[in-house]
Amino acid sequence: MSDCHGCAGCAVAAGPPRSRKALPPHVVAIIGPPNSGKSTLFNRLTGLRQKVANFPGVTVEQRIGRARTKTDREVIMVDLPGVYSLSPRSEDEQVTRDVLAGQMKGIPKPDAVLLILDCTNLGRHLVLAAPILSLKLPTLVILNMADDLHSRGGKVDTAELASELGAPVALISAAKGDGVEKVFQFMEGTAAGTTSLAAPKVELPVLQDIPRCRQWAHQVGTGAAYQAPAPPLWTRRLDAVFLHPIAGLAIFVVVVAGVFQTIFSLAKPLMDGLQAMIQVSGQWITDTMPPSVFRSLLVDGVWHGVGSVIVFLPQILLLFLFIGILEDSGYLARAALIADRTMAKFGLQGKSFIPLLSAYACAVPAIMATRTIESKRDRLATILIAPLMTCSARLPVYTLIIAAFIPEHHLLGPLLGTQAGALLGLYVLGFVAAIGTARLLKSSILKSERTPFMLEMPPYRMPTLRSLGLRLYDRSKIFLRRAGTVILLVAVVLWLMLHLPLQNGKAPAIGDSFAGMIGHSVEPVIKPLGFNWKIGIGLISSLAAREVIVGTLGTIYSVEGTEESAGLRQALQSELTPGGAVALLIFFAFAMQCMSTIAVVRRETGGWKWPAAQFAYMTALAYVCALITNEVVRSGVLTIAARL
Amino acid sequence: MMQLSVNKELNGAQNGAMTPQTLAHLPQGEAGVLDRLDLPEDIARRLMELGFLPGHVIVPARSAPGGEPRVYRVDGSEVALRRETAARLILRPPSKGAAKTHKL
């Protein structure tokens, strides 16, 4: 019964309503090879009632959801990582084994297993049935993609297969929802304890011997009159275009540029709208509340602090929408294939391409997306360089400083002005720093044999709205939770630091506040970069998130804290030298000013070692480059002044 | 792994000084039968899980623009490999090519 305690704990953590009959929840694990439609089925069964976290102590994502059977029994569903076998060579396989054996902390031993296989490729997928059935847990063998099997002329005798395996078999289409009721019926049976284990007709093979297992699968398939479907013609036709030596490359460039362009142009009006809403509602609160310390905390601290981050939600959701479409349609695997050669030149591989592309929006999802890279060293290298790519949080900072210090001239006629050119230059700078660092890492501490690149090409499929919607819902939840916790905390702490210690019962001048004291104390360190103590406060507050510096400087100079504000621009022009301004841009290009990124790197690398090293490296790089920039610009300005 | 090394000896004895053909040499669209995987065990096992098993038929399909990596049709699915990996997958001499295949 101790299991029930553990599982009650996990149920409370997941926040479900208590089972009405007070029965212990029924625990069902879903397992299947990659590309078997496992997540689609999981979403089908649980809908929005799911939670994403990590398995304790490892970087493997844990998805737990809840479903309810017709008999009104609460079922806890555990989605296991996609694996081909249970031999514990990767973290994914180890986690799968531990969960199924009931040895994973916080997760009770499953009462039943749903084994999902792609029936258009049953020969290979059935191999996984051997280790699963040998566990002697009640198991439903789910043959997914029934619609594909039938439309391409394949056949299988499910009754015969069930008797061969000694386990019930259900032929379903998780994407269309056909046959999902059979899965519920199975769970009702296992929950009621009426399912009995039958002995398989075909003896299970020695699990460590892959050729034997494959032969066993062949034998079972033949016994069940399995007829493999014809090859996916549409996939071959589409590949003729998408992998065409010229057209394929052109499409790749258009897709990448298109994603990049849309997340900026399409997100802009949405972000502006959100920004305006936050401004207006902040103003409304100011107008309705009597002036007080509390109102200042609420409006200046909480509302604008959290608001400045929530503004990025549309952009992040758009990025995930595109990645979702690319992934669900099957094009993502082709993009990784096309990018592999170029990535290999920097010591990385094709699978690093998508995380690095995502890092243009935000390093946090990019680092989470590195999970698809099996090679530990390649994955680590990708995680370490992702924050150097120019993320969207740098944009407000860049825009403000460029507008204040770089006079607008035509560079290439009306096409490209100096300001846009400077912005483009900063993007290139981040990219060059990222690939330079990748080369450095891969030729030193992360040196490895060129890891074999092996990537399964799934057939092309039409992405479903349901799956895309669920992805966006998931991401918004994670993002908003972060804004509501970490960012909120920083906003409140900054506000307090700016308003304490009280002098004669009143908030002090900024220079005398705690924040001011900290700013003054770091001034000697940042002075060589051309920054004064006020910029110092901004730099420290932007450790939470880069864009926070805009709001902070706004507060410090007692002007409106938005990047459009001419007031802040003028204030900066009188505060910063041209050298200091350019140095500030360079500093932001390289420095790891982002708590969320540090937190996600710690989580994904399983400790403080790598985020600490990364933070030190990026800060040192930023400091040295900003120092050099300031000196170069200053002496340049002096030379010009001397000539005049 | 033991079985693989046995295969290696057999192959060496039969072919003598002839260099065995590898998957990297196989032209697009032409079928070859895998004989053995000349790779470290963990990588060989991962490839075997993807269908690259001795005795299986492999057909090279399209490649990325630039010729590399290439997609291979094997055991009902398509898997992309770099040339350097394909060059370590040794094929059976064509004569006994059509021998043992798991067609399912």
Side-chain angles (χ1 to χ4, degrees), chain A residues 35-338:
Chain A
N35 298 316
S36 57
K38 196 168 55 67
S39 302
T40 317
L41 177 69
F42 181 78
N43 290 340
R44 220 0 115 183
L45 297 174
T46 63
L48 294 181
R49 307 170 72 208
Q50 50 175 276
K51 190 187 137 179
V52 185
N54 268 31
F55 285 106
V58 291
T59 61
V60 178
E61 195 166 77
Q62 166 196 325
R63 292 207 304 160
I64 294 207
R66 282 164 293 125
R68 189 172 283 279
T69 64
K70 278 210 192 99
T71 49
D72 208 26
R73 183 74 187 268
E74 180 89 9
V75 180
I76 303 238
M77 315 227 55
V78 185
D79 189 14
L80 292 169
V83 291
Y84 291 109
S85 75
L86 289 191
S87 49
R89 274 166 298 120
S90 75
E91 223 172 23
D92 280 0
E93 288 154 356
Q94 186 65 52
V95 163
T96 308
R97 251 176 103 100
D98 288 352
V99 171
L100 290 175
Q103 286 165 352
M104 179 57 73
K105 231 170 90 187
I107 297 176
K109 186 174 158 77
D111 301 305
V113 176
L114 302 178
L115 171 66
I116 180 163
L117 308 172
D118 175 0
C119 68
T120 65
N121 194 359
L122 197 56
R124 195 154 72 72
H125 276 201
L126 258 179
V127 174
L128 184 60
I132 299 297
L133 292 176
S134 73
L135 296 171
K136 304 284 177 212
L137 285 166
T139 303
L140 175 67
V141 179
I142 298 170
L143 305 183
N144 192 20
M145 325 246 179
D147 46 339
D148 273 11
L149 181 77
H150 294 142
S151 70
R152 278 158 45 195
K155 262 189 273 179
V156 65
D157 182 341
T158 50
E160 194 49 46
L161 186 62
S163 86
E164 296 258 341
L165 294 172
V169 174
L171 189 61
I172 72 159
S173 164
K176 299 214 165 118
D178 300 338
V180 175
E181 71 285 349
K182 290 181 226 161
V183 181
F184 276 107
Q185 279 160 17
F186 168 78
M187 294 195 295
E188 279 155 29
T190 54
T194 52
T195 315
S196 56
L197 289 171
K201 219 156 124 188
V202 187
E203 204 180 317
L204 294 174
V206 182
L207 299 178
Q208 287 313 307
D209 189 338
I210 302 177
R212 288 268 166 77
C213 285
R214 182 63 187 80
Q215 249 166 355
W216 170 83
H218 173 68
Q219 197 188 336
V220 171
T222 315
Y226 177 65
Q227 225 169 29
L233 270 187
W234 268 108
T235 291
R236 302 231 165 135
R237 279 179 202 145
L238 286 171
D239 268 342
V241 179
F242 288 134
L243 295 180
H244 187 271
I246 297 155
L249 204 57
I251 292 170
F252 175 79
V253 172
V254 168
V255 167
V256 172
V259 169
F260 193 42
Q261 176 64 30
T262 15
I263 59 174
F264 284 105
S265 59
L266 213 64
K268 184 92 175 60
L270 294 171
M271 291 169 76
D272 288 348
L274 212 53
Q275 174 86 46
M277 268 164 58
I278 290 162
Q279 289 286 339
V280 168
S281 53
Q283 191 57 48
W284 180 80
I285 299 174
T286 311
D287 294 344
T288 36
M289 280 178 77
S292 66
V293 177
F294 181 68
R295 185 183 80 175
S296 162
L297 171 67
L298 192 68
V299 177
D300 301 335
V302 174
W303 203 256
H304 286 142
V306 174
S308 69
V309 178
I310 289 189
V311 167
F312 291 96
L313 185 62
Q315 200 167 47
I316 288 172
L317 288 187
L318 269 176
L319 178 81
F320 275 102
L321 177 67
F322 282 116
I323 291 182
I325 293 173
L326 292 180
E327 192 172 343
D328 289 359
S329 66
Y331 185 75
L332 203 60
R334 275 79 183 176
L337 178 70
I338 293 172

Side-chain angles (χ1 to χ4, degrees), chain A residues 89 123 214 450 455 457, chain B residues 49 75 78 80 82 84 104:
Chain A
R89 274 166 298 120
R214 182 63 187 80
R450 284 233 303 180
L455 183 62
M457 298 281 130
Chain B
E49 284 171 0
D75 202 7
E78 304 200 332
R82 284 182 184 162
E84 64 204 22
L104 196 88

Side-chain angles (χ1 to χ4, degrees), chain A residues 341-496:
Chain A
R341 246 172 86 118
T342 315
M343 302 300 293
K345 292 202 178 100
F346 311 119
L348 295 170
Q349 52 148 313
K351 291 180 191 173
S352 302
F353 170 74
I354 296 307
L356 292 183
L357 180 69
S358 320
Y360 275 115
C362 179
V364 174
I367 287 164
M368 294 198 284
T370 60
R371 286 187 179 149
T372 52
I373 307 171
E374 297 115 358
S375 155
K376 275 221 160 90
R377 290 177 168 227
D378 283 3
R379 175 159 179 235
L380 194 52
T382 312
I383 289 175
L384 293 179
I385 65 168
L388 282 166
M389 307 297 271
T390 306
C391 69
S392 58
R394 286 179 174 101
L395 258 184
V397 188
Y398 287 173
T399 322
L400 172 68
I401 310 229
I402 287 175
F405 286 91
I406 305 209
E408 178 70 335
H409 292 300
H410 288 324
L411 266 185
L412 293 170
L415 263 180
L416 188 71
T418 38
Q419 293 191 345
L423 192 61
L424 192 65
L426 287 164
Y427 271 91
V428 173
L429 191 68
F431 178 72
V432 169
I435 57 173
T437 305
R439 280 206 81 137
L440 195 72
L441 286 169
K442 291 294 293 180
S443 58
S444 57
I445 47 170
L446 294 180
K447 193 171 183 155
S448 56
E449 298 258 316
R450 284 233 303 180
T451 354
F453 170 80
M454 38 184 109
L455 183 62
E456 203 177 338
M457 298 281 130
Y460 291 100
R461 281 179 219 288
M462 193 55 119
T464 62
L465 280 177
R466 198 188 158 91
S467 140
L468 292 175
L470 266 172
R471 273 168 189 271
L472 296 192
Y473 173 80
D474 255 6
R475 286 303 142 195
S476 325
K477 222 167 63 178
I478 292 171
F479 182 81
L480 291 176
R481 194 187 305 141
R482 190 161 61 96
T485 51
V486 179
I487 312 251
L488 177 69
L489 187 73
V490 173
V492 171
V493 168
L494 178 70
W495 184 88
L496 285 175

